[in-house]
Structure formats: C-alpha cells, structure tokens
Amino acid sequence: MQAARRGDGHVSAAAEPRQAEVIERVHETRDLFTLRLRLTEPAARAAYRFAPGQFNMLYLPGIGGVPISIASDPDDPTTLDHTIRAVGRVTRVLAGLGHGDRLGLRGPYGRGWPLAAAEGHDLVVLTGGLGCAPVVAAIDYAVARRERFGRLAILQGVKHAADLLWRPRYDAWAALPDTEVRLAADEPDRHWPDHVGLVTDLLGEVRFDPGATFALLCGPEPMMLAGARRLIALGVPDTHIWLSLERGFQCGVGHCGHCQLGPWFVCRDGPVFRFADIRWLLGTPGF
Amino acid sequence: MTEAHCLPRARLQALFDRLGERGFRCIGPQVRDGAIVYDDLSDASALPVGIGTHQAPGRYRLEHYAHARCFAWSNGPQALKPLLFAPEEPLWQVTRGADGRVTFASIERPAQRRAVIGVRACDLAALTLHDAHFLGAAADPGYAARRAELFIVAVDCSHPADTCFCASTGDGPAVTGGADLTLTELDAGFLVRGLTDAGRSLMDALPLLPASSDDLRLAKAEIEHAATSQRRQLPGRNLRDVLFANLDHPRWDDVAERCLACGNCVAVCPTCFCYTEREDAALDGSHSTHLRLWDTCYSAEHSYLHGRLLRANTRTRYRQWLTHKLGGWHDQYGRSGCVGCGRCIAWCPTGIDITAEAAALCKPPAAETDT
C-alpha cells in the first residue's frame, strides 16, 4: 500500500462531537451552499488537523449527523469549509443555518489523498458535480507547494452549467504556471464558454506525462470508472489512479458497517482508494 | 491450561458463590419463553436441568429429559453478543441552551464485574472477532468497559443441534481458549480447567476432587462424538474468492425468492456488528440523546446513500450478508465471520440454510440443479 496520509485529529469511536459555530454561510448554486465552521473551544481548534480528502461528521442535536468532506485549505485548519447539497433530512436543516449558529462536529475521519507519494509527479484532478469539493483541499495543498509537483491539470464537469461552483477559483488556478483548467457541462446555458459534453472527453486535451502522473478522481461512480479507464488507455498505471468514494457513513471509524464495499470499510480504509485495489468490485450493482 | 479437576454436581453452587464473593454479577443460561436465554443467575438450580433442544431449519424447540445435566443443550438465540455489544446504547447526550449553544456530555460507563457461565466455543470464537472489531484502533468505549470486567466460564458442547457446524469452521465443540475457566459436563459432575490466572485462582477456591482417568476418557469421547455427529458443514474455511467470483450466480435469485429480508439471521448471529445511529430528542428541542441500535443489512435504510438505495432488492441484500460473512471478513479480520453456531438456520422463518446456500454458490451454475 502506498503511503497514506492521516490527520492527527482526535478519532475515537462514539466520541461525542465538539461544538462548532458557523462563521459564514455561502450560497453557491441553486442547491449547494458552504458552511464555514470554526470549533469554539480554543484547545480543540488548536489541536485540529486534517489531510486533504478527509471528512467530518456534522451533527445537529435532535436531528442527526451527516458526513461532509472538508473543502478548505489544509494549511489553515482553524477554518473548515463544508460544501453541501441540501438533499436529505439533515442537510436540509444545515441549509438553514447562518452566522453564529452552533452545531456539533467530529472528525476528521478516513484516509485522504496520497499527496506525499504524488510529489514529483504530474497531477490530473478529474471531478464531476460536487466531487470537486473533496479534492479542492488537495489542489490547495499542491498549489501551496507548487514546486514539488509537475504539471497540474484540473478538469471539472457538471451536468448543467448552473451547477458549476467556484469559477473564480478555477480562473485563479488556470493562471498558475504549468497549470491547465478545463471545464465541461452536459447541458450548457447560453453563456457557457467551455466544453459541452463529458468531462472525461477532456483527458486527451490536457498535457501530462502518463507514466509520471497521479490522478485524483471524485464524482459519480460511472464518471470515475469512465475516467479511470480513459486514463489507463492513455498510459497512466492503475496504481497511480485514486478515487474518493462515498457510502452511508454513520460512525466514521469502521464500526457501524454501513459503508462496507466488499472487504472495505470505506469510511476508514478510504474514502480515497487506489483504483488498482478496488477495480475488481467497483461498479458492481449492490456494492 | 491447568490439569482438570472434578467438581461434583452437588457442589456446583460453589462456583456461583465464589464468583459472587469476588464481586461478580453472575449471568447464566435459563429457560424463558420456550428458549434458553442468558440473564442474571445466582442459583445453580435455576440452570436448564434436564433440558435439551431440537433445532432444524426454521425450528427451535425445548425438550425435557429425565437426566440431571444442565448444559445438555445447544445454543439458544443469544449468548454473549447482547451482553457486550448492547442492542441499544446511548453514545452521548446534548443540550441546547436558550442562547443556541450546544453542550455535549459523554455517557458514564461504570465498570461492571460480570461473570457469564456456560459460554460455548462458537460464541468464544465470535467474541474474539468482536474484540477485533470493537477494540481496534478506535476502541468502542461501551464495549471496552463491559469487556474489561468480564469473567467467562465456558462449557464444552456435548449436545450440538442438528443445525450446528462448528467442527467444520474449526470453532468447536471443545473450548480451547478465550475463557477464564472451562467446564466439561459429565453425569456425576464437571471437569474444571483454569485457562487464565483469574480462572486458576477461582479454581483454587472450589471444592474440587482429583479427576479420574475414566472421567477424562468419558469427557474426551463425548466431545469427539459431538464433533463427528455434526452433519452440516461449509464447503471450505475460506470461500472469499469463490463467492466474489460468483456475484451473478443464479442461486442469489433463488435464495431471494425464499428470503423475507426480516433480519432474524443478523439479530441472532454472534458476529454481526452493524448498528445504526438515532436521536432520542425532547419535544421542545432542548436536549437529545444520541443512540445506537443494532441494524441489519437486510433493511432498505442500511444502504441508503443521499436519496437512493445501493441495495434495493432482497437478492443484493442477502448477497451482501453472505459475501461479507464468508468473504469480506477474511480481509477485515483474517478469517471467516461464521463460527458455525447454526443460529441463522434455526431462527430463519423460512429455514434458509447458510451451509446449503454456500454449497450451491460454490458450484458452477450449470451443476446447481443437481443439489
């Protein structure tokens, strides 16, 4: 197994959450919002560290918890961004929170992106929909250490043009040296300036050295499977293709059993996996 | 393991008394509601004397015999699992003040010195697996608190049920470890062996007699018979690769026709560990208790993932259960998750037999009609 990065945060089964407060609620798109959170206890805030790709359990008293990846800069773990789609019982209530509201936070959980192993390689970041959130911390990490990585290609696809998050961030990354950003929408609007179609179509249009590349993929599983196959066809070894998966995380420590994918507890063994390890099972209906 | 000594049947109460004097709350098997259950028990005469069980697919019945033996039965629906992995357990409490601040309180978990009497080898194997699951890198505080103060008096299984197959999984019927003290029941009394320091110390306080060579020979013969009389077996100790290679086997459709997805097999399985988290909230929203409850991979909610179900039908849920039990466990904890207790066979309302399903799934689909 390649070197896995883990946060130094407090991880214990059944540990109660810490209180966090909403510093800011950012409206992102029609159904996406970001909660910028801060742990209220100074000691807990000072001790908190996370690795890009890890997630927190956000908890609302009397309502329940939900796993959300950490979408902010890992070099500033005192401010934790969580970009959320209002789709279920807990996330709909989270959507109504605003500045100063209090909630519970526990984490970070899981294994993040293999950024130490990826140093010295080109990076291809291929994401779809809200899959951009679990990798944005990895991009921030690499951009802050730009000299340790080769070329950087960031490809993000959305279903509808109106679903695109963070265009200013993509524009800023596109301006960096040796960095390419390509965006795709299946359903463009009149103003969409970028590619129309699947984001995986763009893999052949960006520059990277397939034999010396790490690829970070996050998004709907069919999109990740198509992307991984395309990368392999382009010559990227399956040991250098990493995917962030999502299952019904409840405990975060591999105890409750909901997130099992065959032999793996996705919350603990992942959520970031090497494609070479999981390709035999990923995509099988029911797993 | 110490040399076996003999505890005369008439002196069995001494075991309960010595444990009680050491501060242990004794828990033992007893007849309730037509089944053998484990609960508080300080009187040896309340053990299931003269009781046997008849078990078959979808069937569990007590039988009454004239003999004086009190462990001449095979396992009831539960033993150790609910004592350590509680069916319902609070994880934390939270209050929300008028100013909106939330305050979390951890749950007090006072140590409980408990001694369980009559634990079988299959359940000791399951305990080892639950220890690996709940006491790993992120130890579960409730499980750990209950486990730390647990004293186990095991008993060799002399009367396996028709549904038992522990000999095939390598987990029984003899106790080989995992307990503090182990008993082998004979007509005249019990052979006693200490397996830990605590067990040997308790042995020293019991009114024991030397064991005769006849006693030892009889005990050995009974256990050997208990192993050889088992008719069910799994088709191998490691079915991981063959099961995962047969995820499209037609037998999954066949068993889905018979499976009610009720989750009984999960509830009685001594190794199933899934739980779900819930809130028990005050109506005014001022406070709440965050709980966990046993869950089952046969429910729709188990595979819920933001608005959809990964496993929307019984075929994929049964397949999840079996490929985890006999497959995924090997990767997770180094062995199969089945200890051969046979409970899932007896307590299945439609009598689905894990050994028959595994055998069918391990054969090529074309040959399946021959079974």
Side-chain angles (χ1 to χ4, degrees):
Chain A
M1 204 60 200
Q2 301 223 356
R5 294 180 57 84
R6 280 182 189 279
D8 304 314
H10 178 69
V11 173
S12 163
E16 61 274 12
R18 310 298 180 91
Q19 181 181 248
E21 64 180 342
V22 179
I23 300 170
E24 189 181 359
R25 180 197 188 281
V26 182
H27 175 83
E28 303 281 9
T29 70
R30 52 192 173 179
D31 62 347
L32 295 176
F33 61 98
T34 295
L35 290 181
R36 184 157 293 155
L37 302 179
R38 192 179 72 132
L39 291 169
T40 55
E41 300 162 49
R45 190 163 63 237
Y48 187 97
R49 299 281 183 281
F50 76 95
Q54 288 192 302
F55 65 93
N56 286 322
M57 293 296 302
L58 302 187
Y59 169 79
L60 289 164
I63 298 168
V66 64
I68 306 289
S69 64
I70 309 163
S72 48
D73 189 339
D75 294 327
D76 176 17
T78 60
T79 302
L80 303 167
D81 284 5
H82 301 80
T83 300
I84 303 166
R85 171 169 283 124
V87 69
R89 198 169 48 84
V90 178
T91 50
R92 286 201 183 95
V93 182
L94 287 171
L97 298 187
H99 175 77
D101 284 339
R102 309 293 177 107
L103 68 161
L105 182 153
R106 59 190 176 90
Y109 293 119
R111 178 179 67 166
W113 300 103
L115 293 170
E119 285 188 10
H121 294 75
D122 291 348
L123 280 183
V124 173
V125 178
L126 177 67
T127 58
L130 191 46
C132 57
V135 294
V136 71
I139 297 173
D140 284 341
Y141 176 96
V143 164
R145 297 158 183 81
R146 192 67 194 83
E147 72 288 355
R148 300 192 201 168
F149 296 90
R151 281 170 291 209
L152 174 59
I154 299 168
L155 303 98
Q156 157 73 350
V158 289
K159 184 166 171 53
H160 191 277
D163 298 330
L164 184 75
L165 279 172
W166 305 331
R167 185 176 281 280
R169 270 191 226 192
Y170 287 112
D171 290 344
W173 290 328
L176 296 173
D178 286 332
T179 304
E180 288 181 272
V181 173
R182 301 298 302 272
L183 305 173
D186 293 345
E187 299 171 13
D189 59 20
R190 281 183 301 152
H191 312 293
W192 182 254
D194 300 294
H195 179 73
V196 175
L198 299 174
V199 66
T200 46
D201 298 342
L202 300 170
L203 280 169
E205 300 181 12
V206 289
R207 286 172 301 141
F208 58 92
D209 176 359
T213 288
F214 266 64
L216 317 182
L217 278 59
C218 188
E221 283 180 19
M223 170 247 141
M224 287 196 286
L225 284 165
R229 288 194 197 103
R230 181 82 182 113
L231 285 161
I232 289 168
L234 290 168
V236 179
D238 62 359
T239 52
H240 281 196
I241 300 170
W242 294 74
L243 286 63
S244 181
L245 304 184
E246 195 174 17
R247 289 293 182 274
F249 307 142
Q250 290 192 14
C251 69
V253 293
H255 283 178
C256 79
H258 289 88
C259 69
Q260 289 181 86
L261 167 68
W264 295 286
F265 295 104
V266 174
C267 76
R268 186 187 71 193
D269 303 327
V272 174
F273 288 93
R274 186 163 57 174
F275 188 57
D277 296 330
I278 59 171
R279 62 185 297 186
W280 65 275
L281 190 59
L282 191 69
T284 306
F287 283 95
Chain B
M1 195 181 291
T2 54
E3 195 181 332
H5 284 68
C6 186
L7 178 67
R9 182 168 297 283
R11 309 298 297 274
L12 182 59
Q13 182 61 37
L15 175 66
F16 291 81
D17 294 344
R18 297 297 89 79
L19 284 165
E21 289 159 10
R22 283 163 162 75
F24 287 104
R25 188 181 129 200
C26 290
I27 292 167
Q30 53 207 279
V31 172
R32 185 186 301 162
D33 301 331
I36 291 172
V37 300
Y38 284 74
D39 204 343
D40 289 339
L41 187 81
S42 52
D43 181 352
S45 68
L47 287 164
V49 177
I51 298 292
T53 62
H54 176 247
Q55 301 191 48
R59 183 178 175 84
Y60 175 96
R61 295 289 186 277
L62 296 184
E63 294 174 329
H64 299 264
Y65 297 97
H67 63 66
R69 290 200 181 197
C70 45
F71 295 107
W73 41 269
S74 63
N75 260 321
Q78 304 286 356
L80 283 179
K81 180 166 96 165
L83 298 174
L84 291 164
F85 172 36
E88 178 177 325
E89 175 158 23
L91 298 183
W92 62 74
Q93 289 172 323
V94 58
T95 55
R96 189 185 276 286
D99 59 358
R101 287 172 190 273
V102 291
T103 309
F104 294 95
S106 49
I107 303 293
E108 293 295 318
R109 303 182 199 279
Q112 308 173 53
R113 282 172 80 79
R114 296 191 296 182
V116 187
I117 291 135
V119 180
R120 305 304 172 99
C122 53
D123 287 319
L124 293 173
L127 175 66
T128 301
L129 288 172
H130 267 196
D131 284 352
H133 182 69
F134 287 114
L135 300 178
D140 180 85
Y143 185 97
R146 291 183 288 269
R147 182 71 178 96
E149 298 283 344
L150 189 71
F151 188 96
I152 297 175
V153 179
V155 60
D156 287 324
C157 213
S158 57
H159 290 68
D162 184 48
T163 45
C164 291
F165 54 101
C166 63
S168 113
T169 63
D171 296 309
V175 174
T176 54
D180 294 291
L181 200 70
T182 181
L183 308 176
T184 311
E185 185 172 32
L186 299 169
D187 286 338
F190 303 85
L191 291 181
V192 184
R193 294 179 179 89
L195 277 66
T196 63
D197 288 343
R200 285 184 282 272
S201 161
L202 185 74
M203 242 181 114
D204 291 342
L206 293 173
L208 301 175
L209 303 172
S212 72
S213 57
D214 278 354
D215 290 341
L216 296 171
R217 197 164 49 243
L218 267 173
K220 189 162 178 279
E222 284 208 9
I223 294 168
E224 278 172 8
H225 181 256
T228 55
S229 66
Q230 293 181 14
R231 289 180 301 149
R232 283 188 161 75
Q233 58 180 1
L234 284 172
R237 293 260 174 101
N238 189 342
L239 307 179
R240 177 196 186 275
D241 291 347
V242 66
L243 288 176
F244 279 117
N246 281 285
L247 296 177
D248 295 319
H249 199 294
R251 185 73 177 197
W252 300 116
D253 296 300
D254 182 272
V255 69
E257 291 291 314
R258 291 171 278 132
C259 174
L260 307 179
C262 69
N264 266 18
C265 51
V266 169
V268 298
C269 176
T271 69
C272 273
F273 53 64
C274 284
Y275 63 80
T276 186
E277 299 190 13
R278 290 273 189 278
E279 293 289 303
D280 184 5
L283 281 176
D284 66 0
S286 63
H287 60 275
S288 182
T289 300
H290 190 73
L291 305 164
R292 75 166 178 220
L293 298 91
W294 283 3
D295 200 5
T296 165
C297 54
Y298 287 91
S299 73
E301 296 78 10
H302 191 279
S303 71
Y304 176 86
L305 182 61
H306 43 67
R308 68 190 179 100
L309 302 177
L310 280 177
R311 291 180 282 277
N313 55 51
T314 303
R315 173 181 172 275
T316 51
R317 293 179 199 166
Y318 185 87
R319 192 182 65 178
Q320 170 65 26
W321 181 74
L322 198 73
T323 54
H324 178 230
K325 187 69 60 190
L326 302 180
W329 272 91
H330 287 276
D331 302 83
Q332 293 169 353
Y333 297 111
R335 58 155 292 174
S336 157
C338 179
V339 296
C341 72
R343 288 183 175 102
C344 59
I345 304 172
W347 294 92
C348 174
T350 67
I352 295 170
D353 178 346
I354 186 174
T355 63
E357 299 312 317
L361 287 159
C362 288
K363 287 182 185 171
E368 197 216 337
T369 49
D370 299 341
T371 59

